[in-house]
Amino acid sequence: MTDPTPPRGELDGRHIVLGLSGGIACYKAAELARALVKAGATVQVVMTASAEQFITPLTLQALSGRPVFGSTWDAREVDGHANNMAHINLTRGADAVLVAPASADFMARLLHGRADDLLSLLCLARAIDSCPLIIAPAMNREMWAHPATQRNVAQLRADGAHFFGPDSGAQACGEVGEGRMLEPDDLLEALIGFFRPKPLAGRRVLITAGPTFEPIDPVRGITNLSSGKMGFAIARAAVEAGAEVTLVAGPVHLATPRGVRRIDVRTAQQMFDAVMPLAPEHDVFIATAAVADWRPAHLSDQKIKKDGSKVAPLFELTENPDILAAVAQHCVAGRPFCVGFAAESHDLLKHSREKLERKRVPLIVGNLGPATFGRDDNTLVLVDAHGHRELPQADKLTLARSLIADVALRLEPAAR
Ligand code: C5P
């Protein structure tokens, strides 16, 4: 029997008008339409005549499961509105208009409040306070960098439009630079984040994640079991909550969440050296990294070989700096607000409370180590000086969002 309650989609209940203007990135809009629908949104596609040169309305209709609109003079009913005014009805009840791809020409027309096709007309006719306009630009790098386009972007922002991207990289024209439309997955992640509450707007959050690797010789070393998933989920949740996020990551194979500044390090000392100068510039420090407690006292610059004597080599170890304790020690008036993690195999509450006191931090997040390593879900317990609160089993992004919401409530109101 199939599960009667399908998993909640991140965009359940959202109604998105997806506008396509002319550009080769229209092919990505097909995948985007599919991704939005899979995430639970209803997607109403509107295409300009130029967009129809790149991809057929039929493709978008099949993927969105709704008729596609293109002409201002289209007299079909929209969602039961009998007045035949598609340019008005299409955005009524919509949670956002997302134009992806948005060409340079389309942006120029938007800027001037032109309304000479259905898509620009509905952007003008939307309720500006309740139906945000999001623009995902896609164009050649020279077109993007042109002062006219940059002027238009600045004015569109001032008029309240939001921008997702563009990205930089290889372009369909063969050139390399800024102007690529974001990939469908990135646009989906950005849109999900767009709708999240913003309790950390104007705040800066510094996060450590993953293991560290302490080399013994050029081919081997000491490390901890840690996938980095929890820390990366927290970085994503903090960006969604409106924060500016810096993520100092040990060696992990994870994609950087959108909008996060990432600094890659390998050893605990490198992590310490990266974190310490950054910490005073941040409002929150969340130490999720599984930092190796010790490192070999001497690094051999050549591979240590078996010498046939059957006597195993002995390694002298030296203690690594405690990054969390050092940041907590240098706090000024409680800033940054420090959050530590405790991965334990037993007596979680007792060890978490000990860590709270030993590291002198206001919040420790406990989790049972072997049960969570590398997995996509987890259970957390938040321990502070007053007591503890359990965050029941959920996927790591859901837990990260709850943790971020909790931390936001603990911060002093932001200075104005
Ligand atoms: O007791 P333990 O040192 O394992 O505490 C774990 C917490 O301290 C985690 O938040 C971890 O990121 C942080 N930590 C650190 N530097 C270390 C060891 C642990 O920041 N050298």
Side-chain angles (χ1 to χ4, degrees):
M1 221 180 87
T2 53
D3 184 349
T5 47
R8 224 181 91 73
E10 291 267 23
L11 293 176
D12 274 356
R14 298 284 182 194
H15 180 61
I16 309 298
V17 174
L18 175 62
L20 280 67
S21 61
I24 184 58
C26 278
Y27 84 93
K28 294 190 193 174
E31 239 183 272
L32 174 61
R34 178 89 185 110
L36 294 175
V37 168
K38 274 170 89 175
T42 54
V43 178
Q44 175 60 60
V45 176
V46 178
M47 298 172 70
T48 65
S50 313
E52 290 185 20
Q53 294 291 321
F54 289 91
I55 189 167
T56 68
L58 185 67
T59 301
L60 274 305
Q61 178 187 308
L63 292 171
S64 66
R66 295 168 70 96
V68 170
F69 282 74
S71 163
T72 303
W73 318 117
D74 191 331
R76 279 176 294 171
E77 263 186 25
V78 178
D79 292 334
H81 293 280
N83 63 4
N84 307 98
M85 294 190 186
H87 68 288
I88 304 290
N89 303 329
L90 282 166
T91 58
R92 299 301 181 262
D95 292 290
V97 175
L98 169 59
V99 183
S103 65
D105 175 67
F106 187 74
M107 283 171 20
R109 282 190 285 136
L110 270 183
L111 172 85
H112 288 287
R114 300 278 303 261
D116 43 7
D117 63 30
L118 180 61
L119 187 54
S120 52
L121 176 55
L122 71 82
C123 287
L124 194 66
R126 79 192 203 284
I128 204 163
D129 292 329
S130 59
C131 182
L133 172 62
I134 305 169
I135 296 174
M139 67 199 70
N140 165 271
R141 66 191 172 108
E142 299 290 3
M143 293 169 77
W144 173 251
H146 195 284
T149 305
Q150 288 304 309
R151 212 164 44 231
N152 294 348
V153 170
Q155 187 57 53
L156 285 167
R157 279 192 209 277
D159 290 348
H162 304 266
F163 279 79
F164 288 174
D167 214 346
S168 105
Q171 303 203 298
C173 54
E175 298 182 2
V176 179
E178 198 174 8
R180 281 166 60 96
M181 188 168 88
L182 294 188
E183 296 302 321
D185 280 352
D186 292 329
L187 287 171
L188 175 66
E189 187 178 321
L191 191 64
I192 290 167
F194 180 81
F195 290 122
R196 303 280 317 160
K198 303 279 175 258
L200 290 184
R203 306 284 198 169
R204 307 184 79 192
V205 177
L206 177 63
I207 299 166
T208 63
T212 64
F213 180 87
E214 314 297 330
I216 294 171
D217 67 16
V219 298
R220 43 175 96 81
I222 302 173
T223 190
N224 283 335
L225 279 179
S226 166
S227 65
K229 285 180 181 173
M230 194 66 227
F232 275 58
I234 292 171
R236 173 172 170 180
V239 169
E240 287 180 349
E244 205 182 297
V245 178
T246 309
L247 176 63
V248 181
V252 292
H253 299 281
L254 294 174
T256 311
R258 234 186 62 79
V260 167
R261 172 165 73 129
R262 172 170 176 175
I263 300 170
D264 283 320
V265 296
R266 200 155 92 114
T267 66
Q269 187 62 50
Q270 288 167 356
M271 190 173 270
F272 179 88
D273 293 342
V275 163
M276 292 313 287
L278 290 174
E281 304 164 9
H282 287 78
D283 301 288
V284 179
F285 175 54
I286 306 180
T288 66
V291 184
D293 290 323
W294 301 281
R295 66 174 181 274
H298 309 286
L299 169 63
S300 167
D301 55 6
Q302 289 187 349
K303 182 179 173 186
I304 301 167
K305 307 288 289 177
K306 283 187 276 190
D307 61 7
S309 68
K310 302 283 181 205
V311 180
L314 287 177
F315 297 113
E316 191 190 332
L317 296 177
T318 183
E319 198 169 327
N320 273 325
D322 189 316
I323 304 165
L324 176 60
V327 171
Q329 197 191 348
H330 288 93
C331 268
V332 178
R335 187 175 179 273
F337 181 88
C338 290
V339 182
F341 264 68
E344 305 293 342
S345 57
H346 60 286
D347 289 337
L348 185 55
L349 266 182
K350 178 170 160 275
H351 290 304
S352 298
R353 200 158 289 292
E354 272 168 19
K355 232 162 254 195
L356 195 72
E357 282 154 23
R358 181 160 47 85
K359 308 232 175 191
R360 296 177 181 277
V361 295
L363 182 63
I364 286 283
V365 182
N367 59 162
L368 285 172
T372 172
F373 292 149
R375 294 182 52 126
D376 290 327
D377 58 357
N378 199 358
T379 305
L380 301 180
V381 54
L382 310 191
V383 182
D384 66 13
H386 308 290
H388 68 273
R389 179 165 82 94
E390 191 164 310
L391 302 180
Q393 184 174 10
D395 63 275
K396 288 184 175 172
L397 181 58
T398 301
L399 291 170
R401 286 172 175 161
S402 303
L403 173 62
I404 286 295
D406 184 282
V407 167
L409 289 174
R410 293 169 189 263
L411 300 181
E412 295 290 327
R416 292 190 190 277

